[in-house]
Amino acid sequence: ADVNVELSRLYRMDQVVSLTESVSGVEGVEGWLLYSGTFAHKKGETETGITFFAPPSTSTLIRPILISGRWLTPGDENAIVVSNSFVRMFPDVDVGDRLTIKIDGKESNWQVIGVLSMPPSTPLFYANYEYLSHVINEPRQTNSLHVITSAHDIATQERISDQLEKLYAARGI
């Protein structure tokens, strides 16, 4: 993406995508979810915070570099790709394992289908937007927009980012 926008809360996908696409120079937009959860490797163990990145299953904006396993496909449910940072913290977690993750205080079960190579960071999980949005009971909502611009230079990216910020503020977003 040329411009990434993190919103302060969830908004209707159709509303913010339409608004974003109204800006001259915007070629496309993908709505993603960024959502927090916690993982306790063993009962009674301190929970570790994790962040879900949930692109749409048809995303054209991510080209994952996998260490093992596979990437998400349309229709995957309860499937996660974990970052190598997560595996460094929990080296006995591997592709095929099932993990229990707390999201909004409720436990849900996920199967690790892949391990993603990334720079060191906090533990990240990738899941399909379509599935995670139902798990959190917020279908058709987004809090992260990934914008593709007609030109890919820094000046265009900054101009469109500024225009989007002003447009969102004017609309109470």
Side-chain angles (χ1 to χ4, degrees), residues 57-170:
S57 62
T58 56
S59 176
T60 59
L61 297 179
I62 189 162
R63 292 181 185 92
I65 299 171
L66 295 170
I67 295 171
S68 60
R70 68 173 177 85
W71 186 246
L72 299 159
T73 58
D76 275 340
E77 295 185 355
N78 293 81
I80 51 173
V81 175
V82 300
S83 66
N84 51 345
S85 294
F86 178 79
V87 172
R88 275 193 289 279
M89 291 177 76
F90 302 101
D92 58 333
V93 171
D94 203 357
V95 172
D97 289 352
R98 295 193 177 276
L99 306 179
T100 301
I101 309 300
K102 270 190 195 172
I103 303 171
D104 294 333
K106 298 177 193 162
E107 290 186 352
S108 58
N109 294 306
W110 298 80
Q111 182 172 20
V112 177
I113 62 165
V115 178
L116 183 66
S117 176
M118 304 182 66
S121 66
T122 58
L124 301 177
F125 289 4
Y126 280 81
N128 280 339
Y129 167 86
E130 297 83 358
Y131 185 72
L132 183 61
S133 68
H134 284 284
V135 169
I136 66 169
N137 201 28
E138 295 286 356
R140 296 178 297 282
Q141 303 286 311
T142 186
N143 60 1
S144 179
L145 299 171
H146 299 262
V147 181
I148 303 100
T149 58
S150 54
H152 308 291
D153 58 281
I154 192 72
T156 300
Q157 293 167 346
E158 287 176 347
R159 177 182 56 79
I160 289 176
S161 179
D162 291 345
Q163 287 177 328
L164 289 172
E165 190 173 341
K166 289 174 186 163
L167 180 60
Y168 297 150

